[in-house]
């Protein structure tokens, strides 16, 4: 029997991988409650936005969406705001967008089934647990969108309180899952045919097994040793908690991918201190030296904020010189965006937007040259690549190396590699953001 129109939903996700994975759990939960997912707003009875508030631009997106579709309320459609904007703005969302029926932060997703019953009865529902919750959102109903690689949350929340960051307020305090529960999920995924797992957390290195069995590095190794799992990644790491044991695990367990994302934010110790990052430039570089000394070549990526209040030109130059020193494989650069509740909101000496934009461009241009040179050193090398899809227009397959580099490749003699399989590819051309090659048979 087809589902009643009111039991259909459309969900759009904004923001980070944590949000993408939360949405997979929310979708599974909705399906377990008799809902059916549809791919357009028009076909849906319930429209959900899983939102991001890390920067102002991300936050504004959801309010634009809500304004765009407001008229659909007349057709009896209901709207829900989930995630970081929901937690941050709370019931104020009902005032700004009165057509919204549900506001639910990520620490309250376990209450979704009851909240759905409430909105079905024509009431409003709110889930706004404060940051003190001890619970993780564990569910048997995760609906993963990719059948080959998938996420597992190992730790939720953040206790670091960097001066610019809204996450400790939107996602609550740090709480880890037991290693037993993480490993059970990894085994279950391997049984279902998954070969790549990405362990997720706002700050994976501060993982503390509530059962007291595993350190983070031991958990990494244990997941990587689950039969059937060929690749394990993890994100995001905080330099303060990043120990040599993680590098040792990567050295000794081949299924741990040779890639670490280690956000630095700034190359200036003075700015790092103002950001309350809890490490100096030198301490950060020490962690980089552990990775550079490893037996396997580890690719390193980072996040950088330019134009933090009071950042001088010479402090910005220190960030540029850090790029020269580290030779990152990739960076994500952001203009500082003042966020509600955060200590940086009250800092003086704001940098004008045009200056932030200039610094961001200078940062990206320098990094482009570095990546061009770094990637060029891969010419002629053979990489194992997991096939992720095909670019029909170019008759090329798309894959990813263990170092997380995109490889576009041709398959000779009519070979048709299937999505999800691992193939060897020799690099025949290099670009700043990708490699190109030919499959080796
Ligand atoms: N402004 C700009 N960038 C930010 N980030 C976090 N908060 C802010 C902010 N207020 C960046 C950091 C972080 C990444 C996920 O987003 O670089 O590592
Ligand atoms: Fe993710 Fe942070 Fe954005 Fe929330 S605010 S979605 S945790 S990046």
């Amino acid at each position: 029997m087809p589902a009643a129109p009111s039991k259909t939903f459309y969900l759009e996700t904004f923001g980070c991988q944590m949000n993408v994975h939360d949405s997979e759990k929310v979708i599974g939960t909705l399906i377990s409650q008799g809902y059916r997912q549809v791919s357009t707003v028009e076909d849906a009875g319930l429209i959900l936005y899983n939102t991001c508030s890390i920067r102002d631009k991300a936050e504004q997106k959801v309010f634009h969406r809500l304004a765009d579709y407001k008229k659909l309320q007349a057709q009896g459609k209901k709207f829900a705001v989930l995630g970081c904007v929901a937690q941050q703005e709370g019931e104020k969302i009902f005032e700004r967008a009165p057509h919204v029926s549900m506001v639910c932060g990520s620490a309250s997703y376990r209450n979704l089934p009851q909240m759905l019953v409430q909105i079905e009865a024509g009431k409003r529902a709110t889930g706004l647990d404060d940051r003190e919750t001890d619970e993780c959102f564990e569910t048997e109903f995760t609906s993963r969108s990719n059948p080959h690689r998938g996420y597992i949350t190992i730790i939720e929340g953040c206790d670091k309180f960097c001066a610019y960051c809204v996450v400790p307020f939107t996602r609550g305090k740090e709480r880890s899952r037991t290693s037993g529960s993480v490993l059970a999920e990894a085994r279950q995924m391997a049984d279902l045919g998954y070969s790549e797992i990405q362990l997720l957390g706002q700050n994976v290195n501060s993982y503390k097994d509530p059962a007291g069995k595993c350190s983070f590095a031991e958990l990494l190794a244990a997941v990587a040793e689950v039969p059937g799992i060929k690749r394990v990644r993890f994100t995001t790491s905080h330099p303060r908690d990043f120990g040599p044991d993680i590098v040792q695990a990567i050295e000794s367990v081949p299924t741990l991918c040779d890639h670490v994302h280690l956000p630095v934010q700034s190359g200036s110790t003075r700015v790092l201190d103002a950001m309350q990052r809890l490490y100096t430039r030198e301490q950060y570089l020490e962690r980089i030296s552990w990775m550079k000394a490893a037996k396997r070549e580890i690719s390193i990526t980072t996040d950088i904020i330019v134009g933090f209040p009071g950042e001088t030109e010479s402090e910005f130059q220190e960030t540029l010189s850090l790029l020269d020193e580290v030779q990152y494989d990739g960076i994500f650069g952001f203009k500082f965006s003042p966020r509600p509740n955060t200590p940086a909101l009250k800092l003086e000496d704001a940098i004008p937007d045009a200056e932030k934009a200039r610094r961001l461009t200078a940062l990206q241009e320098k990094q482009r040259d570095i990546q061009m040179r770094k990637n060029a050193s891969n010419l002629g090398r053979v990489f194992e690549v997991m096939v992720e899809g095909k670019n029909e227009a170019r008759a090329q397959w798309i894959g990813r190396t263990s170092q997380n580099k995109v490889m576009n490749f041709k398959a000779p003699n009519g070979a048709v590699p299937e999505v999800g399989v691992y193939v060897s590819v020799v690099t025949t051309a290099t670009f700043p953001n990708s490699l190109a090659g030919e499959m080796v048979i």
Side-chain angles (χ1 to χ4, degrees), residues 16 53-56 163-167 202 236 261 263-265 277 302-306 332-339 342 344:
C16 63
S53 62
I54 195 94
R55 284 167 291 275
D56 187 53
Y164 51 79
C165 189
V166 81
V167 170
Q202 225 61 56
T236 261
H261 183 65
V264 66
Q265 313 300 357
R277 285 292 285 176
T302 201
D303 293 343
I304 288 172
I305 298 176
V306 298
F332 297 92
F334 307 104
K335 293 190 281 181
F336 169 73
S337 167
R339 306 309 297 132
T342 61

Side-chain angles (χ1 to χ4, degrees), residues 14-16 19 51-54 84 166-167 170-171 202:
F14 302 91
C16 63
N19 261 18
T51 61
C52 172
S53 62
I54 195 94
C84 292
V166 81
V167 170
T170 59
R171 287 191 169 267
Q202 225 61 56

Side-chain angles (χ1 to χ4, degrees), residues 307-311 336 338 344-345 347-353 355-356:
F308 187 77
E311 182 190 65
F336 169 73
L345 194 62
L347 292 178
E348 288 170 7
D349 300 326
I351 309 292
D353 193 59
E355 177 57 18
K356 286 192 232 178

Side-chain angles (χ1 to χ4, degrees), residues 202-261:
Q202 225 61 56
N203 183 2
V204 286
N205 325 109
S206 45
Y207 174 80
K208 272 184 208 65
D209 184 1
K213 287 191 189 149
C214 274
S215 68
F216 171 60
E218 287 163 346
L219 180 67
L220 267 182
V223 174
E225 278 158 7
V226 168
I229 297 303
K230 288 183 64 119
R231 283 184 174 178
V232 174
R233 304 183 184 280
F234 56 97
T235 195
T236 261
S237 295
H238 190 292
R240 163 78 171 231
D241 305 324
F242 187 90
D245 54 342
I246 299 170
V247 181
Q248 281 153 16
I250 296 176
E251 277 187 312
S252 51
V253 186
T255 41
L256 278 180
C257 287
D258 31 22
H259 169 220
V260 171
H261 183 65

Side-chain angles (χ1 to χ4, degrees), residues 36 45 68 78 97 132 152 183 194 217 219 260-261 268 287 306 377-378 434:
R36 181 169 61 86
D68 288 349
K78 293 190 193 319
E132 293 313 315
I152 298 181
L183 282 165
Y194 284 85
L219 180 67
V260 171
H261 183 65
S268 149
R287 280 139 185 80
V306 298
S377 70
N378 289 317
S434 64

